[in-house]
Amino acid sequence: MKYSGSCHCGAVRFEVEAPKDLQVDECNCSICSKSGFLHLIVPQSKFTLLQGQDALTTYRFNTGVAQHTFCRICGVKPFYIPRSNPDGYDVNVRCLDTPPNSMEVLPFDGVNWEENVHKVAHKSLDN
């Protein structure tokens, strides 16, 4: 199924291909907890930025590998390139304009990231 998504102001718009019934991760690390990000990690081939490249700004911290992209107009982070899956995209399910049929939220211990990253490393593989 193709989902449409956007930032709050609509300057950034994207599409992502994913199942009708989603399984997403809720991470307890500092940035995810503070932003309320719900993770849908997909291969690059399943993500299309439709508009707003010029409205995006990038924030990096810690190792600098993850590319946290934010709309510089409204401040919302609709997707980013995660450290766990640098070959994919991590979409914030809360930024989808098209709701999934159903959604299962799984806890992810990002506070202890190194011990748990193997649990999500497969999600950006193109099947």
Side-chain angles (χ1 to χ4, degrees):
M1 172 173 177
K2 282 211 178 183
Y3 294 93
S4 298
S6 63
C7 63
H8 186 257
C9 71
V12 177
R13 296 193 179 281
F14 63 91
E15 284 183 344
V16 62
E17 189 178 332
K20 287 182 181 182
D21 299 300
L22 296 181
Q23 190 177 70
V24 300
D25 299 295
E26 184 173 30
C27 179
N28 65 352
C29 81
S30 60
I31 195 166
C32 295
S33 294
K34 289 180 184 261
S35 66
F37 203 96
L38 280 182
H39 301 265
L40 173 63
I41 301 172
V42 297
Q44 285 182 1
S45 64
K46 306 286 185 192
F47 179 88
T48 304
L49 180 62
L50 300 174
Q51 75 176 44
Q53 180 66 44
D54 59 333
L56 291 172
T57 189
T58 302
Y59 171 64
R60 295 175 190 238
F61 68 99
N62 194 9
T63 64
V65 175
Q67 298 174 45
H68 297 272
T69 51
F70 295 82
C71 173
R72 62 184 154 124
I73 300 165
C74 67
V76 168
K77 179 172 113 176
F79 61 86
Y80 75 107
I81 299 173
R83 184 172 103 172
S84 64
N85 300 78
D87 57 343
Y89 281 91
D90 193 346
V91 172
N92 186 350
V93 172
R94 292 187 164 121
C95 290
L96 295 179
D97 300 326
T98 311
N101 185 48
S102 70
M103 184 171 59
E104 178 184 9
V105 179
L106 304 173
F108 178 78
D109 184 6
V111 170
N112 299 295
W113 191 86
E114 287 79 9
E115 291 85 11
N116 293 292
V117 67
H118 69 279
K119 296 175 183 174
V120 296
H122 68 281
K123 293 189 175 194
S124 61
L125 297 177
D126 216 346
N127 296 334

